[in-house]
Amino acid sequence: MNSSPQHLAIVMDGNGRWSKHQAKPRHFGHKAGLDVLKKIIEAAAQRGVRYLTVFAFGIENWLRPSTEVSYLMELFLSALSRDVAKLHEHGIRLHFIGDKKGIHADLLQSMQKAEELTAANQGMHFIVAFNYSGRWDIQQACQALTQKVLSGELALSDVNEAQISAHLSTAQFPDPDLLIRTSGEQRISNFLLWQLSYSEFYFTPKYWPDFDEAELDCAFAFYQSRERRFGQISEQIESKHA
Ligand code: FPP
């Protein structure tokens, strides 16, 4: 049986539909979603998760109405100024992955400060995918690798899976063991395309603002019931654990 996932990734989906169901404006759902996230960070750490990655803002999210994008940027900025101290107190180490280009200078500065402040912490790594997309990540890794090949630093024959992983924005983290997506959607939506190759997927119809510790435990129970074979057969996995 697996224990708690070492690396949990979450697509926090359904804030907008949750608001609509309550006849409230969409930003209500985002605010409620942030409150849920704070609880889940704590719950995940308590359950022994070492890496928690959340999809906070995708590159494609810039296409949303400008009022919603502005609200989300304000929400991220205020969350960073209000909540980072508490994460720091709990020994959590913050990281941001994604394209730094296009992020407002104020927000970028807060992100960098939060990373610096928490860099020496020994608790759970909390990784926020912000202005992120899986294709962007693979593209920037390809560019960095091509540069090294062109300069002679790396031989073409050395461009292998390990090198690609080492040039992704997640190079310092293991691949996710479990992906949770809320709101009933069952797709990756350009999240960690390379890194999710062998992750288990847990889908729940609950909207993200309704997600709670009980649902997290259901996801972990599902994960613990899975046999992870990584391309091998059951007997090989069983003999490893015997
Ligand atoms: C998806 O719901 C949610 C988002 C795009 C934003 C998620 C952001 C938060 C919960 C706040 C996180 C804050 C920090 C600091 C990490 P949706 O709007 O796509 O919902 P819908 O599919 O029902 O429209």
Side-chain angles (χ1 to χ4, degrees), residues 46-57:
Q46 280 166 355
R47 284 159 178 75
V49 170
R50 292 298 302 150
Y51 302 86
L52 171 65
T53 302
V54 297
F55 203 2
F57 193 83

Side-chain angles (χ1 to χ4, degrees), residues 31-78:
K31 168 76 183 59
L34 177 60
D35 293 339
V36 168
L37 177 59
K38 290 183 210 167
K39 291 190 188 128
I40 295 304
I41 294 171
E42 203 178 321
Q46 280 166 355
R47 284 159 178 75
V49 170
R50 292 298 302 150
Y51 302 86
L52 171 65
T53 302
V54 297
F55 203 2
F57 193 83
I59 289 178
E60 289 85 5
N61 289 147
W62 291 108
L63 300 171
R64 292 189 174 200
S66 61
T67 47
E68 182 166 343
V69 172
S70 303
Y71 179 83
L72 282 168
M73 296 301 145
E74 285 300 320
L75 185 70
F76 298 137
L77 195 57
S78 67

